[in-house]
Amino acid sequence: MFLQGKKIVLGVTGSIAAYKIPHFVRLLKKEGAEVKVILTNSAQDFVSPLALATVSKNNVLCTISNAAVWNNHVELGLWADVLLIAPCSANTLAKFANGICDNLLTAVYLSARCTVFIAPAMDEDMWKHPATRANIEKVMQYGNKIVPVGRGELASGLIGEGRMAEPEDMLYMLQDFFADTNKPLLGQKALVTAGPTYERLDPVRFIGNFSSGKMGIAIADSLANKGANVTLVLGPSAYSATNKNINTIHVESAKEMHTTCMELAEITHIMVLAAAVADYRPNEIANEKIKKKEDKLTITLTKTDDILADIGKIKQPWQTLVGFALETNNEIEAARKKLKDKKADIIILNSLKDAGAGFGHDTNKVTLLNKNGTTFAYELQSKKAVAEIIVNSIIKHMHDEKDI
Ligand code: CTP
C-alpha cells in the first residue's frame, strides 16, 4: 500500500480523456490515497465536478475564487505530495512551460513544491508539433515528469500517438514513485564494517575484543532498507545479516579488513566503520602452538593500519565517511579529535560509562558529532533505533543539511 495516506492533487484539463478520471480517482482512493481534484473550465465540458466530488470524497475546485470562497492555491501546492495533471491538454502544457497563470490549476502548478507529473493527451499532430515538443522539453527542465502517452484511437478518429496513459498505468507509476521515495538511498553503494577482529598469536590463540557486531549489522540493515546496495565487512561475529540487499564479506584480522575496505572505498558512496578493529597485532604469528615455559611471556605487537584514517585520506567530496569513537574519558573532546584527525564527516561516540551501551548489548546510547560542529546526544535505545538515527543523519549530511 504505497499510496496509503499520500496526498494527491489531480489537475484535470479539457480533453476527452477526462472521462476516465472518475475511474482513476476510484483506483487511487482504493489504495488509500487522499485526492483533491482541480478542474479547468474546459475540463467541465468532459467530466462533471459532481462525479469527481463523489468519488474523491472531497470538494472539487474549479476557480481561484467564487462569490464567497477563495481557494488557496499556495496551500494546495504545499499540501500535495504529488501534483498530477491528467489529462494535460496542449494548451495547459503551453501555460506550464511559459509560467502563464490564469486559472486555479496553473496557480497551483506554480506554487507546488512537490513532484509534478504531467500526463499529456492530444491528437498525434498536436503531440508531434515542434511547439509541443519544445514545451515538453521545458517542463522536463523544470523537473516535471512526463507520463508517456499511449498509441491508439484518438478523439479525431485517427490512430496514432497522443492518448493519455491508462488509469491503471498511472496508478502503477505513482506506486513506483512512492516506493522509491521510501528508499532515499536507491543507487547508493554503502560499506559497513562490523564486529571484532582476531589477531592470531599461534594456530590456536588470538587477541580479540568483545564486540558483537550487532550495531554494525543494524546499520547495514537500515541502509539496505533505505535502498542502498550494502557490503558488510564482518569480523568474527556470532551474528549475521539476513537482508538480501546486504553482501557480507567475512574477514578475520585487521589486515584483511583493511585490504577489503580499501578495495571497496573508491567506489562506495557511504562508509560506516563500526568495527572494533584491533589497534595492534602480534609482530609474528608462531607456526606452532606457543608452549608454556617461563613465568612471564612477552609478546611484541605492531600497530595495525587504521582503516578509517586511510579512507579519510582518499575520501572524495561525494563520499560520506562515518566512524565510531569508543571513549572512557574526555569523551566529546576525544571524539572531536578523532573526527578531525581521521577526516570523517560524522563520528558516533559511545561511552563505556553508560549502562546498557556499547559491546554486546541490544541497546546503545550515542552522541553524534559532525564536522560542522553540531553535537547531539541521544537517549539509550535499541541498536535498531540507533541505526535509524545514524542512517538518517547520513542522509541529512548527503543533502548538505547542517544539523544531524
Ligand atoms: N578504526 C579503524 N581501523 C583501525 C582502528 C580503528 O577503522 N585500525 C576505526 C573504528 O572502526 C572506529 C574508529 O576508527 O570507527 C575509532 O576507533 P577507536 O578504537 O575508538 O579509536 P582509535 O583510533 O583506535 O583510537 P584509541 O583506541 O586510541 O581511542
Side-chain angles (χ1 to χ4, degrees), residues 50-81:
L50 183 60
L52 287 164
T54 310
V55 287
S56 70
K57 298 190 170 57
N58 262 323
N59 286 338
V60 167
L61 309 162
C62 299
T63 50
I64 290 194
S65 63
N66 58 31
V69 183
W70 181 63
N71 288 315
N72 189 334
H73 55 89
V74 178
E75 237 168 47
L76 265 174
L78 293 179
W79 177 85
D81 292 322

Side-chain angles (χ1 to χ4, degrees), residues 153-175:
E153 194 180 330
L154 300 165
S156 58
L158 299 172
I159 307 285
E161 261 179 52
R163 277 166 68 102
M164 183 184 76
E166 290 304 323
E168 284 75 9
D169 292 332
M170 292 198 287
L171 179 73
Y172 300 144
M173 177 204 71
L174 288 178
Q175 285 174 328

